[in-house]
Amino acid sequence: MKLQHPYRSEVQDARLIPLLKIFAGLSLVGLLACGCTTKTISCAEDPVPPVPALTQLPPPLPAPASHDEKMAWFREAKFGLFIHWGLYCIPAGDWNGKRVPGIGEWIMHNAPIPVTQYEQLPKQFNPIMFDAEAWVQMAEDAGMKYIVITSKHHDGFAMYHSHVSPYNIYDAAPFHRDPIRELAQACAKHNIKFGFYYSQAQDWHEPGGAGNTNDFGPDELKDSSGAYDKYLQTKAEPQVAELLQNYGPVCLIWFDTPRMMNKERGQRFVDIVHKYQPATLIDGRLGAAGDYTSTGDNSIPNESVSTNDWETPATINHTWGYRQDDTDWKSPGEIIFKLVDIVSKGGNYLLNVGPTSEGIIPKESQDNLRTVGRWLKVYGEAIYGAGRSPFGDEFGEFSTKTKDHNGKPVFLPRNDWRCTTRSGKLYFTLFTIPRDGVVELPDFKNEITRAYIVGDPDKTPITIDHADGKHLAHVTRNGPNAIAYTICLEITGASVQR
Ligand code: H79
């Protein structure tokens, strides 16, 4: 079986390696020495990780006593890792030598690739560099508290050992392993919550699934003929049931694109989730009421949301599934801003990586996430379990002049600082500090009993003046972190009085 390693061809001639290693002290040359050009994903010398022995998984969690109890871990976690991994990482954005525009995991639809051709891909799917332990360790290093992986995306291919359909990585690929089982085990070990993306409505591999009009005709016909319900009842529903039975505690199921879902069809999934794991959360895209709402992909609300729990699913470049041409990575600074912004508005940030067909998470994603993790090690108390901003003007405002193409006023965001809270504490994360080091903070009636930079072991006091309906914090421009740092204001009373 010929393996498809999109970037192996770029690996330097092995005979050059010892020579180049002489210069290994220079980091750039060090990268070249092991064949890692900026595009290369794994080093020729990287050992193949061992296949982990399977151990017992913990049992599912008991039924929560209330909605608040059910949501408690989610409200604490704030930051999760989304993983889009499936057959689409093999073509990685190219088909028959042509670049197929769009998000990588949509290649079958966008090229389009007939199902008879796409279903040949598993034969060359052998991601031997996959290392569940390393992936989960990366999430932990990044300060992420939960992982959500594509158990089956719209292409219909199950990334686990399904007994419902042989179109899965264990049965149809030479890999002959269950990566999701291995991840469940590593997550249990690292105390990271584990959940599944499952495309319930779209399934481009099945005649009755939604979305593949190219091979199987219009969706309306599948609906009226009963083929769609047959697909739901013989594949989607039993697969969701096996995910809930065979992989230990499932923190959430992330349904998506509820095409042709109605109340009754949605309820069947709700019933399955409740039957096997009543503690499992349902996202906002099932097509029936979930436990929280999902914003649009990569969409962060302009303002604070207090009515419900919510989550922004987001890409770290511009695709979900791996594409070799998408190297426009969000920087650690951008990720930190988005995380603090989201938490200050009451939400969670589910940030995606797209591993390659070798089983490697692109190095740039890993590096940037680890930088975020180092920031969180210091400033995490302003994030995990933190409350929303009691203010709101800091988010920006609608323009009174400029309108978008729909004639609606555009939102002019401000990003100088964001505020998160704990009882008796206000955390201001500062993204822009004026030249004179005086940061204008909003008015409130509570007395400030102490103010300091988070992570300062001495809690050296920060001067905060209060005059003319403003607080003025006197801080240093070159603070302890080049990206942003957080100051804590301890106040009298549990919450802000304005
Ligand atoms: O899993 C990720 C996406 O694949 C999935 N949601 C996230 C989390 C998703 N499914 N559908 N969409 C997102 C909307 C897709 C829109 C588009 Fe297209 C796909 C735009 C271009 C390709 C469909 C095909 C609409 C135009 C062409």
Side-chain angles (χ1 to χ4, degrees), residues 84 103 105-106 109-110 153-154 197 256-257 285 297 320:
H84 275 65
I103 38 184
E105 69 284 3
W106 272 72
H109 174 276
N110 292 352
H153 203 267
H154 307 332
Y197 176 105
D256 200 5
T257 62
R285 297 190 185 178
D297 294 355
W320 305 84

Side-chain angles (χ1 to χ4, degrees), residues 75-79 143 336-337 339-344 347-348 375-376 379-387 420-422 427 429 486:
R75 292 172 185 167
E76 181 67 30
K78 298 294 180 193
F79 193 26
I336 290 168
F337 177 78
L339 175 62
V340 183
D341 186 32
I342 287 169
V343 173
S344 79
N348 279 23
W375 189 89
L376 280 165
Y379 301 107
E381 66 172 88
I383 301 294
Y384 303 117
T420 56
T421 53
R422 308 190 93 88
Y427 295 95
T429 301
T486 307

